[in-house]
Amino acid sequence: KTLTVIQEAIDLIKRFHDVRIDLDNLPYDDAPTYELLNKGDTVGVFQLESSGMRDLLRRNGIDCIEDVIALIALYRPGPMNMLDDYVQRKTGKMKVTYPHPLLEPVLKETYGVMIYQEQVQKAANVLAGYSLGEADILRRAMGKKKASVMDEQRSKFVGGCKTTNNIDVKLAGSIFDTIAQFAGYGFNKAHSAGYAIVCYQTAYLKANYPV
């Protein structure tokens, strides 16, 4: 439905303004688009229409497409408890911290909050030397919370942290628990990014060609 609306809008813009919109090459720094998002003027904008989401846009502030990707991943029943942390950190009301300094490059774009499944995998890879395939098995185990599998993975993770980065066993166990808490709610970033692109396209058209 949304893709049809977008195509119809593009056809009308060509007809009435003689402007050909190239969706694959939209500027991702378009000021009117971000102004519209930050005002929460998003009725008709894919995924961002609900009153809760519009309030969140106004509270959080949107500076870039990555912000849209993160909010789509966070605005779901599971990770709602992480939403306030994200907003507080993004708006500078709470200090950005990381479970371990090695996780800063992994979590910097989301202000230290682990939002995406890909971040869970990368964290295990960086800290404990997991291959990305092994890290995906860990992610799935954390999502399902099977006690026997979790015990096995905890032992492997803690051992890997010690071997790979000489991280203290107690600290490694604490980091494992933190990651497990996030992993239960983690969203696939690729999926969220796909949604965010369509969000941005509809917001761009509404901001620049409102009629």
Side-chain angles (χ1 to χ4, degrees):
K1 178 185 169 186
T2 302
L3 296 178
T4 300
V5 169
I6 288 171
Q7 188 57 55
E8 286 177 353
I10 287 171
D11 292 344
L12 289 167
I13 291 163
K14 177 71 181 83
R15 183 169 150 200
F16 291 110
H17 300 281
D18 199 25
V19 173
R20 189 174 294 283
I21 303 286
D22 181 2
L23 284 184
D24 293 329
N25 289 293
L26 288 183
Y28 282 100
D29 58 355
D30 181 65
T33 301
Y34 288 110
E35 189 182 338
L36 176 132
L37 292 172
N38 287 317
K39 285 194 299 191
D41 183 17
T42 51
V43 172
V45 176
F46 182 65
Q47 289 281 309
L48 305 181
E49 290 192 89
S50 73
S51 58
M53 182 57 101
R54 283 155 57 201
D55 177 59
L56 179 59
L57 291 169
R58 287 189 285 263
R59 277 198 300 137
N60 186 72
I62 303 292
D63 305 317
C64 55
I65 190 72
E66 284 79 9
D67 287 341
V68 182
I69 298 170
L71 291 187
I72 289 170
L74 280 166
Y75 195 76
R76 296 173 300 114
M80 281 290 187
N81 61 330
M82 301 189 308
L83 239 179
D84 277 340
D85 265 12
Y86 180 86
V87 172
Q88 296 276 319
R89 291 174 183 220
K90 163 86 168 71
T91 54
K93 292 172 186 156
M94 184 190 285
K95 189 180 175 190
V96 175
T97 57
Y98 302 96
H100 189 278
L102 285 170
L103 289 179
E104 183 171 349
V106 180
L107 300 178
K108 192 167 186 178
E109 70 167 302
T110 50
Y111 309 97
V113 180
M114 194 175 284
I115 295 173
Y116 307 121
Q117 292 174 356
E118 290 89 337
Q119 287 174 317
V120 173
Q121 290 172 257
K122 192 65 183 167
N125 168 249
V126 167
L127 291 173
Y130 278 58
S131 72
L132 293 180
E134 289 170 330
D136 193 46
I137 292 167
L138 171 71
R139 175 193 65 75
R140 278 182 279 167
M142 286 177 161
K144 290 176 181 170
K145 295 182 170 66
K146 282 180 111 174
S148 59
V149 182
M150 285 290 276
D151 288 344
E152 184 186 309
Q153 286 291 340
R154 170 187 270 276
S155 172
K156 180 178 177 178
F157 181 89
V158 169
C161 284
K162 183 71 180 166
T163 308
T164 310
N165 291 298
N166 199 29
I167 296 171
D168 174 74
V169 168
K170 192 174 177 184
L171 176 59
S174 165
I175 293 170
F176 181 89
D177 293 338
T178 302
I179 293 173
Q181 178 194 342
F182 283 123
Y185 303 126
F187 198 65
N188 181 270
K189 185 180 181 184
H191 186 126
S192 197
Y195 274 3
I197 296 299
V198 181
C199 291
Y200 188 89
Q201 290 171 348
T202 49
Y204 177 89
L205 291 170
K206 180 172 180 177
N208 290 281
Y209 298 95
V211 175

